[in-house]
Amino acid sequence: MSHDKKQAALDEILRSSGVDVRKCMRCGKCTATCPAFDEMEYHPHQFVYMVEKGEIEKLAASPSIFKCLSCFACMERCPRQVEPAKLIEAVRLSVIREKGANHLKPEQVPALLDEDLPQQAITSAFRKYSK
Amino acid sequence: MQRIGVFICHCGTNIAATVDVKAVAEALGREPGVVFSTDYQYMCSESGQTLMRDAIREHKLTGVVVCSCSPRMHETTFRKAAEKEGLNPYMVEIANIREQVSWIHKDVAEATEKAIILGRAAIAKVHLNKPLKAGESPVTKRALVIGGGIAGIQTALDIAEAGFEVDIVEKEPTIGGKMAQIDKTFPTLDCAACILTPKMVDVAQNEKIKIFSYSEVESVKGFVGNFKVAIRKKARYVDEEKCTGCGICTEKCPQKKVPNEFNMGLDTRRAIYIPFAQAVPKVATIDANYCTMMKTGKCGVCQKLCGAGAIDYKQQDTIVEREYGAIVAATGFNPMKPTQYNELGYATCEDVVTSLELERLMNAAGPTAGTLLRPSDKKHPHTIVFVQCVGSRCDAENEKGKPYCSKICCMYTAKHAMLIREKYPDTEVYVFYIDVRTPGKNFDEFYRRAVEQYGVHYVKGQVGKVVEENGVLKVQASDLLSGEQLHIDADLVVLATAVEPDKSARSIATMLTASMDTNDFFTEAHAKLRPVESPTAGIFLSGVCQGPKDIPETVSQASAAAAKVIGLLAKDKLTCNPCVAESDEMLCNGCSSCEKVCPYGAITYTDKEFRGPNRTTLIRRVASVNPAVCQGCGACTVACPSGAMDLKGFSNRQIMAEVDAICKM
Ligand SMILES: Cc1cc2nc3c(=O)[nH]c(=O)nc-3n(C[C@H](O)[C@H](O)[C@H](O)COP(=O)(O)OP(=O)(O)OC[C@H]3O[C@@H](n4cnc5c(N)ncnc54)[C@H](O)[C@@H]3O)c2cc1C
Ligand code: SF4
Ligand code: SF4
Ligand code: SF4
Ligand code: SF4
């Protein structure tokens, strides 16, 4: 990825998540909390650090983004209000959107269903948009 | 017409980098009355002051304007220099072109313009300045120390050592504070009681020191050198003069189920109690919330047993009025109770404790007589997990915690881990840390000993969850260096919780008109150069009430505060601020508005005779200000409906002249 594109991807994640990665003091409370730790390749504190370093592509390619349960425990407990789950969600959404035209016909859905596919994305959306 | 000299300071590059100082000197040189105007690199330096003094002499100046830093920094410096040349010091005015101009503006043209405007305002004021003479007020040669922890104890001992009287007001039944609860102390591991209790005895025996225990400050009036303080001695239902401290009542009282706060609620005490064996004063106190006699009128056991006849169920709170020259705040701290962290299980699991609770569990005089047993089943714990930074170092937006580092917990956690490994080598000890912060003499060596000599497992990471299952504390944590999530079966979890200023500190600060930061720590007059004084004259700071610190630092600061108090009490008289209010009797209509707003009680009224029309005499009630009491706050000048009240040095005319100068472009 070109430098500009990499920067644009980073800016987009920071913008859509609203997360200030510089606030992270690398305490590891998020990773200590995370119930999906064992399933994940990258853990919440690494997510924050990787975004800080601009490694969006690497994160987007990792299955970890679909392993996050959107339980938001890391957000609730982060002492520095970094809220890693918001970053994970932002990357996840950007990947989902990448898939492009979401003009799925209902009959196409069953074939696409996959055990790993994001119920959590739906859960997350509900939680995010509830009052 | 005044002959005014204007001096523009560069303050190195602090001012000169943003303000065109030459242009300011030139512009102000053209102002009416200005006979001399120049700029100089450092006006406050010896040669800067000489420059000013020479100009006063050569140009026969009657007024001076220095455009420099805040008057809080150097107003006194420049006034003293002018005085040496025979100029009245109050003929010198400062225009603050550093804090109010160069430090807050970026654009040179804009900053220069503003500096000129502020200079003009100061010149306009000097035109109306009158020579003022400072009066004097006496100093009451006694100090008050609020809080009897190690900070208050040390400050009081040092002041008494210099020969002055000191009172300690302590809200608990005994002095000693947190240090009395601690087992051993880092970095030398000497027993806290062994080094503290002799000092407490010294306090009790010192003729110059009076302890008001179980007492609180009710109100503070007056000002530096002349404070009047009302102290509430809470009813302890025991006559302090008669009680011998034999303790028979505390053994025989049938009400045994009172949570013992000295042991952090880990055991119980009686309704009548002496907090610990070495308490000072060693006098019993009845806890009215639990005493059966107080609640039902039946019992009276202690009264029957007390050979000294000290029990008095009818005792009332009493108010004692005392006068002081100086007041020291030494209200200390409390470790945060971490009930807001559900995930850490403090509220739900008995075996999740705070570090101060652990101190009691390890203390020979504690609830387990010094054998480390966990609270739930009184068994010896074999795996112990320590969590650092609980409630400290949180984001400012975080509602659960504090933004600061509590400073002492890294060291006391290393101490706990080491002491446990020393006494119980069969115990595995884990410490979860974010950073290990051990600056201080012999401090890092101390922490390394915990790791290298005592084999304490230091893990870079945090604990995310603690749940109890069949008496085992299931700890889920991160190990960031190995990239693992750890699952530890622990017997005891110890939380190093944040230091919080005592809850009462805020109301004390309000009474003292001493400022506090957003975390309720007292603020110093200057963070670097006046660290033990409050910005309010006559108020000094000692110990953790000013910010987190350990015992060595607390004691140093306590002695420093004492030195400042001694410096004040050693004076017989204090020069008063001559910028005090004054009422114009011809305008005053005696309405009392000013008296109501004066926070220092400086205004009184007298009936005076005035000549009326046609040779009649009128008696009118008019205000008069006691210049020794007035602090020049100016509240009365604003309140006065007839414009009779005016502040010397800041008269309404002077202020209007400044405003006019600023508006006239
Ligand atoms: C678990 C733990 C372990 C520690 N271990 C060590 C160690 O090993 N070595 C070390 O150097 N330091 C240690 N410390 C730090 C040490 O406790 C403090 O540095 C010290 O106690 C500070 O003393 P202080 O007098 O400022 O405050 P405090 O000890 O809190 O004393 C303040 C006193 O003021 C009284 N007070 C408060 N408000 C009022 C009021 N409004 N009116 C009247 N009285 C009032 C309180 O009752 C109290 O008696 C430890 C702290 C903790 C929590
Ligand atoms: S929201 Fe996701 S990353 Fe955060 S704790 Fe839950 S599962 Fe883990
Ligand atoms: S909990 Fe917050 S501050 Fe701590 S490592 Fe995770 S994101 Fe960073
Ligand atoms: S009167 Fe109160 S304090 Fe005294 S013995 Fe009875 S319960 Fe205890
Ligand atoms: S002293 Fe250590 S444990 Fe305490 S808040 Fe600071 S870093 Fe955390």
Side-chain angles (χ1 to χ4, degrees):
Chain A
M1 223 198 264
S2 75
H3 177 76
D4 283 356
K5 254 181 112 182
K6 204 173 148 185
Q7 187 62 43
L10 172 61
D11 289 347
E12 178 53 24
I13 293 302
L14 292 177
R15 190 197 61 79
S16 66
S17 66
V19 167
D20 180 353
V21 282
R22 289 185 192 170
K23 282 192 170 186
C24 173
M25 63 169 161
R26 321 210 197 289
C27 67
K29 182 132 182 185
C30 49
T31 294
T33 291
C34 181
F37 181 94
D38 291 340
E39 328 292 328
M40 286 177 153
E41 177 189 9
Y42 302 125
H43 304 109
H45 77 281
Q46 288 169 300
F47 246 88
V48 179
Y49 191 35
M50 287 165 77
V51 171
E52 191 178 329
K53 289 193 292 182
E55 297 174 350
I56 307 295
E57 207 179 4
K58 219 159 132 187
L59 280 176
S62 165
S64 298
I65 52 174
F66 295 113
K67 300 292 182 185
C68 162
L69 303 167
S70 284
C71 70
F72 295 171
C74 55
M75 272 171 58
E76 170 68 24
R77 297 186 188 159
C78 169
R80 301 220 48 98
Q81 315 296 96
V82 178
E83 311 188 325
K86 285 189 178 169
L87 283 180
I88 303 178
E89 184 181 284
V91 175
R92 189 197 298 134
L93 284 177
S94 78
V95 170
I96 295 170
R97 281 203 209 105
E98 279 272 301
K99 300 257 154 70
N102 57 359
H103 304 301
L104 271 188
K105 295 201 174 72
E107 50 274 29
Q108 290 174 285
V109 173
L112 287 168
L113 275 183
D114 145 4
E115 230 179 303
D116 279 344
L117 201 87
Q119 286 99 323
Q120 69 267 38
I122 300 165
T123 317
S124 167
F126 273 132
R127 297 185 63 164
K128 186 166 174 183
Y129 295 113
S130 70
K131 281 184 266 187
Chain B
M1 185 69 141
Q2 307 276 18
R3 294 177 58 80
I4 299 171
V6 178
F7 303 86
I8 322 294
C9 182
H10 298 197
C11 194
T13 52
N14 266 307
I15 293 173
T18 324
V19 171
D20 181 346
V21 283
K22 297 255 182 276
V24 177
E26 207 203 355
L28 295 182
R30 290 195 296 269
E31 286 295 300
V34 175
V35 295
F36 180 77
S37 180
T38 188
D39 61 284
Y40 189 70
Q41 215 169 8
Y42 292 104
M43 277 308 296
C44 58
S45 69
E46 185 70 38
S47 40
Q49 292 182 46
T50 311
L51 171 78
M52 184 176 117
R53 291 177 57 178
D54 291 346
I56 294 175
R57 243 186 356 261
E58 283 160 25
H59 299 273
K60 299 192 173 43
L61 301 182
T62 61
V64 166
V65 169
V66 187
C67 301
S68 58
C69 53
S70 158
R72 292 181 71 125
M73 289 294 297
H74 282 305
E75 188 176 69
T76 328
T77 315
F78 297 128
R79 285 187 166 169
K80 275 192 185 146
E83 200 173 13
K84 287 187 189 142
E85 290 306 321
L87 196 63
N88 184 282
Y90 294 91
M91 297 307 292
V92 177
E93 290 293 335
I94 309 289
N96 180 355
I97 62 165
R98 192 178 75 176
E99 284 82 348
Q100 291 177 2
V101 180
S102 66
W103 279 358
I104 53 163
H105 291 284
K106 285 200 179 109
D107 184 73
V108 175
E110 225 171 55
T112 306
E113 187 188 346
K114 183 166 169 188
I116 294 172
I117 293 172
L118 292 183
R120 259 190 212 137
I123 292 166
K125 186 177 177 205
V126 171
H127 273 293
L128 299 172
N129 276 17
K130 291 195 183 84
L132 297 175
K133 196 166 159 22
E136 282 178 337
S137 67
V139 178
T140 306
K141 298 199 175 259
R142 185 191 297 132
L144 168 66
V145 174
I146 307 173
I150 181 61
I153 289 175
Q154 187 64 45
T155 302
L157 284 172
D158 288 351
I159 296 172
E161 178 75 8
F164 295 106
E165 284 182 32
V166 199
D167 290 355
I168 298 178
V169 170
E170 167 58 58
K171 66 177 158 90
E172 301 298 330
T174 173
I175 59 170
K178 254 53 72 189
M179 190 174 167
Q181 292 175 282
I182 296 173
D183 183 36
K184 299 205 167 45
T185 53
F186 67 75
T188 42
L189 296 183
D190 27 13
C191 120
C194 315
I195 54 178
L196 175 69
T197 51
K199 274 192 190 283
M200 291 165 59
V201 174
D202 287 351
V203 168
Q205 290 176 346
N206 196 309
E207 285 172 2
K208 298 276 179 194
I209 305 178
K210 192 168 163 56
I211 304 172
F212 289 91
S213 64
Y214 210 50
S215 299
E216 279 169 34
V217 172
E218 185 84 1
S219 72
V220 178
K221 291 204 189 80
F223 55 97
V224 54
N226 293 278
F227 293 107
K228 286 191 181 57
V229 178
I231 300 165
R232 175 180 293 273
K233 293 187 72 180
K234 295 178 279 188
R236 68 199 310 164
Y237 309 105
V238 173
D239 186 331
E240 281 181 39
E241 305 298 322
K242 291 186 186 157
C243 175
T244 59
C246 71
I248 183 113
C249 53
T250 68
E251 284 159 26
K252 296 286 157 45
C253 165
Q255 177 48 275
K256 300 179 184 172
K257 294 231 169 65
V258 189
N260 183 355
E261 51 284 86
F262 186 71
N263 282 338
M264 305 302 291
L266 292 165
D267 66 354
T268 53
R269 58 165 171 79
R270 310 292 171 115
I272 186 162
Y273 67 110
I274 298 175
F276 55 99
Q278 297 81 16
V280 168
K282 197 161 179 191
V283 173
T285 305
I286 294 181
D287 187 335
N289 294 325
Y290 291 92
C291 167
T292 348
M293 186 72 180
M294 299 284 181
K295 290 170 75 172
T296 66
K298 294 200 190 76
C299 180
V301 169
C302 52
Q303 192 170 45
K304 280 182 215 115
L305 285 172
C306 178
I311 309 288
D312 173 7
Y313 300 117
K314 300 245 149 46
Q315 201 178 63
Q316 300 283 322
D317 288 9
T318 47
I319 305 282
V320 183
E321 298 260 356
R322 301 274 281 177
E323 294 186 0
Y324 303 99
I327 301 180
V328 182
T331 48
F333 75 108
N334 292 296
M336 175 192 268
K337 258 201 179 306
T339 42
Q340 71 275 44
Y341 295 105
N342 290 334
E343 69 273 23
L344 297 177
Y346 177 77
T348 45
C349 314
E350 258 190 280
D351 297 325
V352 177
V353 298
T354 67
S355 300
L356 193 53
E357 289 164 19
L358 181 74
E359 293 278 354
R360 297 314 299 155
L361 288 174
M362 291 172 54
N363 192 296
T368 53
T371 312
L372 180 58
L373 302 173
R374 62 184 203 157
S376 65
D377 53 11
K378 311 284 181 277
K379 284 201 187 123
H380 168 56
H382 290 277
T383 304
I384 304 181
V385 168
F386 285 88
V387 191
Q388 292 192 175
C389 301
V390 176
S392 297
R393 306 176 60 186
C394 296
D395 186 68
E397 306 281 303
N398 187 297
E399 280 161 13
K400 291 182 184 166
K402 307 287 177 184
Y404 48 84
C405 164
S406 295
K407 202 172 180 181
I408 53 176
C409 10
C410 278
M411 279 298 284
Y412 70 56
T413 298
K415 168 184 81 173
H416 293 154
M418 215 178 318
L419 289 172
I420 289 172
R421 289 281 298 159
E422 163 88 25
K423 212 164 159 192
Y424 310 102
D426 61 337
T427 313
E428 287 302 322
V429 175
Y430 297 85
V431 175
F432 286 89
Y433 69 91
I434 305 175
D435 303 285
V436 180
R437 294 181 165 171
T438 50
K441 191 169 167 184
N442 295 326
F443 279 20
D444 207 63
E445 296 91 320
F446 183 86
Y447 147 62
R448 289 312 305 167
R449 251 196 4 239
V451 178
E452 294 169 26
Q453 204 173 320
Y454 288 92
V456 176
H457 308 297
Y458 267 79
V459 186
K460 160 77 194 167
Q462 275 290 289
V463 168
K465 200 158 82 177
V466 179
V467 274
E468 195 207 304
E469 271 172 36
N470 306 321
V472 177
L473 297 171
K474 301 272 179 193
V475 176
Q476 178 180 306
S478 55
D479 176 345
L480 298 188
L481 296 181
S482 72
E484 284 174 85
Q485 197 175 58
L486 305 180
H487 297 271
I488 301 171
D489 285 351
D491 303 314
L492 187 69
V493 170
V494 185
L495 309 177
T497 59
V499 160
E500 275 183 308
D502 193 274
K503 293 265 184 294
S504 68
R506 175 66 58 184
S507 69
I508 296 286
T510 309
M511 282 188 245
L512 299 175
T513 62
S515 50
M516 283 193 139
D517 64 18
T518 49
N519 300 311
D520 278 7
F521 287 115
F522 283 89
T523 327
E524 333 57 279
H526 189 287
K528 282 155 275 182
L529 301 179
R530 293 172 67 195
V532 299
E533 295 159 77
S534 154
T536 306
I539 310 293
F540 302 88
L541 313 174
S542 176
V544 179
C545 68
Q546 177 262 340
K549 47 180 80 66
D550 56 22
I551 298 164
E553 232 187 308
T554 297
V555 171
S556 323
Q557 198 207 19
S559 291
K564 290 286 169 189
V565 170
I566 295 164
L568 171 60
L569 298 189
K571 294 192 178 107
D572 291 325
K573 288 194 180 318
L574 291 177
T575 322
C576 306
N577 171 15
C579 300
V580 292
E582 190 179 38
S583 87
D584 181 341
E585 290 173 348
M586 299 313 284
L587 294 176
C588 173
N589 64 21
C591 71
S592 290
S593 302
C594 52
E595 185 198 15
K596 284 189 204 120
V597 296
C598 176
Y600 303 95
I603 301 171
T604 48
Y605 296 89
T606 42
D607 289 328
K608 268 198 157 178
E609 280 187 18
F610 290 89
R611 200 161 357 135
N614 304 327
R615 297 180 165 259
T616 51
T617 328
L618 305 171
I619 307 277
R620 275 181 38 223
R621 183 174 184 266
V622 291
S624 71
V625 177
N626 179 345
V629 180
C630 171
Q631 295 298 293
C633 72
C636 53
T637 64
V638 186
C640 178
S642 28
M645 248 333 154
D646 219 347
L647 202 58
K648 288 191 218 167
F650 295 91
S651 68
N652 295 336
R653 274 186 68 213
Q654 283 171 302
I655 290 170
M656 287 320 290
E658 285 185 280
V659 174
D660 282 346
I662 289 170
C663 299
K664 179 178 69 193
M665 281 296 298

